[in-house]
Amino acid sequence: MVKRIDSSSIIIERIIVHNIPKHLKGDFSIEPNYSEQESKLSDGLRLFFKDKVVQSLNSDRAFKICFNDESTSPISWIVNDIFGSGGSKIIDQSKLIAKHLFEIQVGSNAAGILVIIFGKVSKKNTCIILKLERDKGAQLTLDQTTHSYNIQEVKDLMLTQKTKIFKSALFIPRSDFETKYDGIITDYQIDIRAKKEVRTWFMDIFLGCIPFEDPKITTQYFYNYTKQFVFTLDDEIQKAKYIQDLNSYIQKNNQTLSPKEFADDYLLTSKHKNDYKNYLLTKNFTFSSFPKDTSQIDRLIKKFVVSFENGISIIGKDGTFNKNVKLENLPNGQHRAEIRSKILSIK
Amino acid sequence: MSIDIKNITESWEKDKLKFEKLGKLVYPFIKSNITEFEILPEISFRTKELLSIIKKIKRKLKSKTYSYSSLNDKLGIRIICSFQEEMELIDIFIRKYFIIKRVEYKKEELNFDTLGYISNHYDVSINNSIDQFKKHSKYKTLIFEIQVRTLNQHAWSNAAHALSYKQDSMLPDKLNRRIYRLLSLYEIADDEISTVNNILKEDPDNYIYTVLKKLEGKIYKYAKIDFDRDTSINAIRILSGYFSEVEKKSLLKEIDNFIITNQEKIQRIFNENRNRFHEIPFLTQPEIFIIWFGLDKFSFSIDDNWINDFDICELKQIKTLWGRVID
């Protein structure tokens, strides 16, 4: 039976920090600054970093990933090696993660702090990678005696907002959880320049992962289930509004879709939102975000049709309906549609 | 019979530290574990003063054979509860965790037409099979007393003490009658407080109180501290305004089960954050369970309204504590 991942159960056992300086592509005159030992964790620090991890997993931007067999990223075997060692190899293996990150970064990548965590989630092993980006002025000091960075300093930088978690990934051993995915990723900094691409630099190149669910299929399910939910409502005018909202939401210029975001932005009442969430739950459909691929539904989302009992239909294309057709409920249960435009052609 | 003060003094000098240490072991144990019964009684302990030991032995010796070793309240623990039903829970608690040498249920000793002091007294020793007591087996032969009473019984006991009143006092009938009238009021007060409490727990017209009553024991159990009632009443009033009638009914019906289903998780959250309760005051208030329940069952009812009444950072913190379950 698939074991559930309950982020509230995360226990941080080991944590190590590496510093990745900004550098030009191919410039290897500088190197990552590695910690040579794990950071000491007080209870307060343990909770602080746990909170940060949970917050990133709670984010609407989190989604499931699996390792891509075709990727050249070494992360999959490094993470598995950390699992295999029960966390005891975290120093050496986390340095390999830092080295890999350094090697694939180019001049446009900001300097960063890499925090690698080994611990438990739902009583099983987990490995968590946090990529933090720091402001120019925010510096970490390498302790010359221990040759390591102090995690307290990372916390202080985060508290002063000089450093933020921009990306995180939580990995689990599939066999322990009996899942078909390897982890969960949250990327607060999806590259808006690559709007058409489903994958991100962090997920694809660095981690060597792909989304667990095929975005084409997930997008199609999202569309179908949301439409089915809307059709359960009684008010025809509301249905018309929500279907148009769905079409325009899916066509927005974003890489991911999220039922929660759709509910927040378009559904009018808390009841509709709660009912929608529960409806998707009954369909076992995620309520958080997933990568978007509209190729299976492109034809459907660009056209909106309202058909009346009297045989009249009104067709709107590419979001034009809402702007040009006013729909109203009439007291006798009928509906009125008002179109204001100039007749273009008559067939 | 004469009293060997020197011998008693030496014995007490030898024993006092042991009883003090035993008190420091047993008191926090009771305080921490009694909340598993979802109650939060007042608990205190004291070791007897030498002078008091000597006076008591002298007094007892007047009517029977009595010695230093007969004295079972060298360490005394007092548990004062709000409602008389809680005395039964505390009785279960004491039987579960201590070895009872002797027990006096004073109420049971009274005839129907007699009034008097009605608390429960237990002479006990620690139970070595309990994990927390295992490594303290050196104290297992020490007998100490646990007194359990309600607030009203405690009030009467204090009043009686102040009046130097004893049941066998030779007072004029007129005065005795006044004392008995007073004593009966304390007993009636206990009954009435319990009755009113039970009625309010089930009163469908008093949603806020019913919810609060359902949840206050849970805060005792998990947070192990008292909460601020005014804050709770205000928060529950606001939160219940966020919910539809259907949601309010489901909360009342399902929240017990929700807490039971998630008890391991809830216990972990409280244990992990015990040292930073001051940073997350919501975690020490019964309404935390309403918020978690709401977020689990109808999250938008909370999400959409929270900002009108509370700090959004607090909701974020509460969500972080609860985490996210991924199938």
Side-chain angles (χ1 to χ4, degrees), chain B residues 24 36 45 56 76 84 100 121 134 137 143 149-150 186 199 233 246 267 274 284 287 296 305 307 324:
Chain B
K24 283 176 186 164
E36 86 181 61
F45 79 100
K56 184 165 182 179
Q84 53 193 4
I100 296 178
H121 288 194
K134 268 182 188 154
S137 56
I143 295 172
R149 45 172 81 156
T150 64
Y186 280 112
I199 290 170
I233 287 167
V246 175
Q267 188 68 70
R274 208 166 291 286
T284 59
E287 52 272 28
D296 194 65
N305 297 293
I307 198 158
R324 181 180 162 204

Side-chain angles (χ1 to χ4, degrees), chain A residues 154-310:
Chain A
V154 178
K155 178 187 171 184
D156 294 343
L157 286 177
M158 290 171 84
L159 285 175
T160 52
Q161 303 294 318
K162 287 183 176 169
T163 298
K164 285 180 185 163
I165 294 180
F166 280 103
K167 302 163 199 301
S168 73
L170 175 145
F171 291 104
I172 49 164
R174 278 195 199 194
S175 53
D176 284 359
F177 284 82
E178 296 182 30
T179 57
K180 290 179 179 163
Y181 60 94
D182 294 297
I184 298 143
I185 185 184
T186 309
D187 190 344
Y188 291 102
Q189 235 188 356
I190 285 177
D191 186 0
I192 52 163
R193 288 166 300 179
K195 284 166 190 158
K196 296 288 175 197
E197 289 178 17
V198 170
R199 295 176 184 183
T200 69
W201 176 87
F202 180 64
M203 174 176 69
D204 190 13
I205 301 172
F206 175 53
L207 297 176
C209 290
I210 49 173
F212 166 56
E213 281 136 341
D214 182 344
K216 276 201 296 283
I217 306 296
T218 324
T219 304
Q220 188 179 20
Y221 275 129
F222 166 69
Y223 175 75
N224 289 339
Y225 288 146
T226 304
K227 215 166 164 181
Q228 283 168 21
F229 164 74
V230 171
F231 287 143
T232 64
L233 303 175
D234 294 330
D235 187 331
E236 299 296 333
I237 305 294
Q238 213 153 45
K239 277 184 200 172
K241 177 201 174 301
Y242 284 162
I243 297 295
Q244 290 176 87
D245 290 343
L246 175 64
N247 290 347
S248 58
Y249 173 63
I250 293 176
Q251 290 178 82
K252 265 173 75 174
N253 218 353
N254 48 6
Q255 272 190 300
T256 57
L257 293 173
S258 151
K260 182 173 185 309
E261 187 178 55
F262 173 71
D264 275 332
D265 291 353
Y266 296 101
L267 301 188
L268 295 174
T269 64
S270 302
K271 184 179 185 316
H272 283 173
K273 293 175 192 179
N274 288 328
D275 291 348
Y276 175 54
K277 185 179 176 183
N278 288 333
Y279 184 83
L280 293 186
L281 265 176
T282 64
K283 303 290 179 191
N284 288 321
F285 193 84
T286 178
F287 202 65
S288 60
S289 71
F290 55 87
K292 176 173 87 173
D293 183 339
T294 62
S295 53
Q296 302 276 16
I297 54 165
D298 266 337
R299 194 176 44 84
L300 299 169
I301 56 177
K302 287 182 176 153
K303 194 165 83 173
F304 178 70
V305 183
V306 177
S307 300
F308 293 83
E309 278 179 357
N310 60 8

